[in-house]
Amino acid sequence: MTSSTPSTPASGTAPKAAPKDPWDLPDVSGLVVGVLGGTGDQGRGLAYRLAKAGQKVIIGSRAADRAQGAAEEIGHGVEGADNADCARRSDIVIVAVPWDGHAKTLESLREELAGKLVVDCVNPLGFDKKGAYALKPEEGSAAEQAAALLPDSRVAAAFHHLSAVLLQDTSLEEIDTDVMVLGEERADVELVQALAGRIPGMRGVFAGRLRNAHQVESLVANLISVNRRYKAHAGLRVTDI
Amino acid sequence: MTSSTPSTPASGTAPKAAPKDPWDLPDVSGLVVGVLGGTGDQGRGLAYRLAKAGQKVIIGSRAADRAQGAAEEIGHGVEGADNADCARRSDIVIVAVPWDGHAKTLESLREELAGKLVVDCVNPLGFDKKGAYALKPEEGSAAEQAAALLPDSRVAAAFHHLSAVLLQDTSLEEIDTDVMVLGEERADVELVQALAGRIPGMRGVFAGRLRNAHQVESLVANLISVNRRYKAHAGLRVTDI
């Protein structure tokens, strides 16, 4: 995590700019974070962790009163609103709805999400008696579906591998895991990385473009197998960084 | 990693067997390990680490003399042979050939691999100017292609996320990473887990059935993005286990 040293230009070529330190991330503490599907386990857990870290969080649900009820339970200044209001009032909007309602929810919020940074954390999975397995959305991944449905938003993908159980466990001060962040624009990816980094124990790590989101979303099927075998709430760390 | 305690049977039901400790793995120190494609970077690195850990290793290549040359360079008692001889003489055979030659190599070794445990570590990837991206084999994954082509072998998948650079770095005593192991039969998965665990710093972790191998293979595209951004040789740790 040290700063990079300036490169020495080869003779006859223009001096190259020093590569940017990948750990030099923006200050996101003043941004309002919305969580669509914020009354579900994943959404509640993320809202709790971010609000506890000092972020202003609004959770969205189809029914405003359900969102308000969940927000009160979470505490830490979290507000509840219907999805449209949540999207409108937020700077960054995390999509934590069930895969079943993913496309429909996003389509209905196209206007409210225009101009916003949308962070998809949905894992398209199927389940049968052998456990979980990956579903492949027509667009390639949930994140790419979001990008296709929201042409006026900026879409990133992150927060796929977090255990909702650990996120919601108020006895845990830290969550020992990395958050893989995918996206097309470096500035947007860095906002999401910085947001993940606000939660004690987490790092946001750039892990590729949206075309490589499918395997990150699908890997949750493997973590479910890990959880069954080891009675765990598995997450991931990226080593050597 | 503690042993599981016996469960208390509910009244009126048959007593349930205590769940098996998932960390109770077999002794594999006496098994001969073959590495097909053992002259490539991944194969050489794996052969070096396993042999250094005390495993008997034979590397295979299309040309026996090339395999013998590489084996001499690796040392630690590694032997070289042509692929067929390597397969024939080994108890566990790791497939570390390039994706391009995967199907053809396995088809040509069907007889030699019959009755063996075959461990596929091939990552089907494409590359363009935007970096690496996942290829989806018709069978679902490289491992499922191996299973389809080798009906008389037992197929597992593992060793996908190891940096060939770190594996081959003789100054490193430990490799700080987990190995996700996938397969259909618990006994086979445990053999591979135990094999991974022979290398200092590594744990072999069960991570699902072969139908969930695609995302594990493809995740290497994401790790390549990590490596570019962070100048790293990224690997993975599974947390909470």
Side-chain angles (χ1 to χ4, degrees):
Chain A
M1 299 196 193
T2 55
S3 289
S4 44
T5 49
S7 58
T8 313
S11 116
T13 61
K16 250 188 171 173
K20 197 183 164 197
D21 180 349
W23 297 106
D24 182 14
L25 300 172
D27 176 12
V28 293
S29 60
L31 299 182
V32 178
V33 178
V35 184
L36 302 178
T39 58
D41 279 338
Q42 191 78 2
R44 286 172 88 102
L46 269 173
Y48 166 63
R49 289 290 159 184
L50 289 169
K52 196 173 175 231
Q55 208 75 31
K56 173 67 202 168
V57 177
I58 304 171
I59 60 174
S61 181
R62 271 174 297 182
D65 57 341
R66 271 188 54 213
Q68 281 151 7
E72 271 169 41
E73 281 171 41
I74 298 168
H76 295 280
V78 173
E79 286 183 57
D82 66 37
N83 278 331
D85 200 32
C86 166
R88 218 178 283 121
R89 292 172 55 202
S90 304
D91 300 304
I92 298 182
V93 180
I94 297 173
V95 183
V97 300
W99 166 241
D100 265 357
H102 185 260
K104 213 174 147 189
T105 303
L106 294 182
E107 267 175 342
S108 72
L109 296 171
R110 187 173 291 168
E111 206 175 305
E112 291 83 356
L113 292 170
K116 313 266 179 180
L117 174 54
V118 174
V119 186
D120 206 297
C121 68
V122 173
N123 304 309
L125 297 180
F127 294 86
D128 61 20
K129 63 181 167 32
K130 291 185 171 181
Y133 57 93
L135 298 176
K136 179 107 179 193
E138 201 186 317
E139 298 83 354
S141 60
E144 287 163 289
Q145 183 181 83
L149 293 173
L150 303 172
D152 301 322
S153 306
R154 295 123 60 205
V155 174
F159 303 114
H160 302 90
H161 302 148
L162 306 177
S163 156
V165 173
L166 298 186
L167 286 176
Q168 294 183 91
D169 184 341
T170 55
S171 73
L172 291 177
E173 289 300 317
E174 297 204 355
I175 305 286
D176 169 27
T177 192
D178 287 335
V179 171
M180 291 188 177
V181 183
L182 297 94
E184 299 302 309
E185 298 300 329
R186 181 152 181 168
D188 291 334
V189 166
E190 289 182 343
L191 286 173
V192 183
Q193 286 182 263
L195 193 63
R198 300 264 292 156
I199 300 173
M202 280 190 203
R203 289 186 306 183
V205 176
F206 171 68
R209 292 171 179 272
L210 289 189
R211 69 175 180 175
N212 282 317
H214 171 64
Q215 57 265 29
V216 172
E217 296 171 359
S218 307
L219 200 74
V220 174
N222 302 85
L223 296 180
I224 289 171
S225 293
V226 170
N227 289 345
R228 284 192 181 184
R229 176 68 52 95
Y230 300 93
K231 315 280 178 233
H233 302 104
L236 290 176
R237 281 277 183 210
V238 182
T239 58
D240 200 47
I241 64 166
Chain B
M1 296 198 194
T2 54
S3 287
S4 44
T5 49
S7 58
T8 315
S11 116
T13 62
K16 249 189 170 171
K20 198 183 163 197
D21 180 349
W23 296 106
D24 183 14
L25 301 173
D27 177 13
V28 293
S29 59
L31 299 181
V32 178
V33 178
V35 183
L36 302 178
T39 57
D41 278 338
Q42 190 78 3
R44 286 172 88 105
L46 269 173
Y48 166 64
R49 290 289 158 184
L50 290 168
K52 196 174 175 228
Q55 208 74 32
K56 173 69 202 168
V57 176
I58 304 172
I59 60 175
S61 180
R62 272 173 297 182
D65 57 344
R66 272 188 52 211
Q68 282 152 7
E72 272 170 41
E73 280 171 40
I74 298 168
H76 295 279
V78 174
E79 287 184 57
D82 66 37
N83 279 330
D85 199 32
C86 166
R88 216 178 284 119
R89 292 172 56 202
S90 303
D91 301 301
I92 298 183
V93 181
I94 296 174
V95 183
V97 300
W99 166 240
D100 264 357
H102 185 260
K104 212 174 147 188
T105 303
L106 294 183
E107 265 174 344
S108 73
L109 297 170
R110 188 173 291 170
E111 205 174 307
E112 290 83 355
L113 292 170
K116 313 265 179 181
L117 174 53
V118 174
V119 187
D120 205 297
C121 68
V122 173
N123 305 308
L125 297 180
F127 293 87
D128 62 19
K129 63 179 167 35
K130 291 186 172 182
Y133 58 93
L135 297 177
K136 179 107 179 193
E138 202 184 320
E139 298 84 354
S141 61
E144 286 163 289
Q145 183 181 84
L149 293 173
L150 304 172
D152 301 324
S153 305
R154 295 125 59 207
V155 174
F159 302 114
H160 303 91
H161 301 149
L162 305 178
S163 157
V165 173
L166 298 185
L167 287 175
Q168 293 182 94
D169 183 341
T170 55
S171 73
L172 290 177
E173 290 299 317
E174 297 205 355
I175 305 286
D176 168 27
T177 195
D178 286 335
V179 170
M180 291 186 178
V181 184
L182 297 94
E184 300 302 309
E185 297 300 329
R186 183 154 180 164
D188 291 334
V189 166
E190 290 181 343
L191 286 173
V192 183
Q193 287 182 259
L195 194 63
R198 299 264 292 156
I199 300 174
M202 279 190 205
R203 291 186 305 184
V205 176
F206 170 68
R209 292 170 179 271
L210 290 189
R211 68 174 180 173
N212 282 317
H214 171 63
Q215 57 264 30
V216 172
E217 296 171 358
S218 306
L219 201 72
V220 174
N222 302 85
L223 296 180
I224 290 171
S225 294
V226 170
N227 289 345
R228 283 193 180 184
R229 175 69 51 96
Y230 300 93
K231 313 284 177 229
H233 301 103
L236 290 176
R237 281 276 184 212
V238 181
T239 58
D240 199 49
I241 63 167

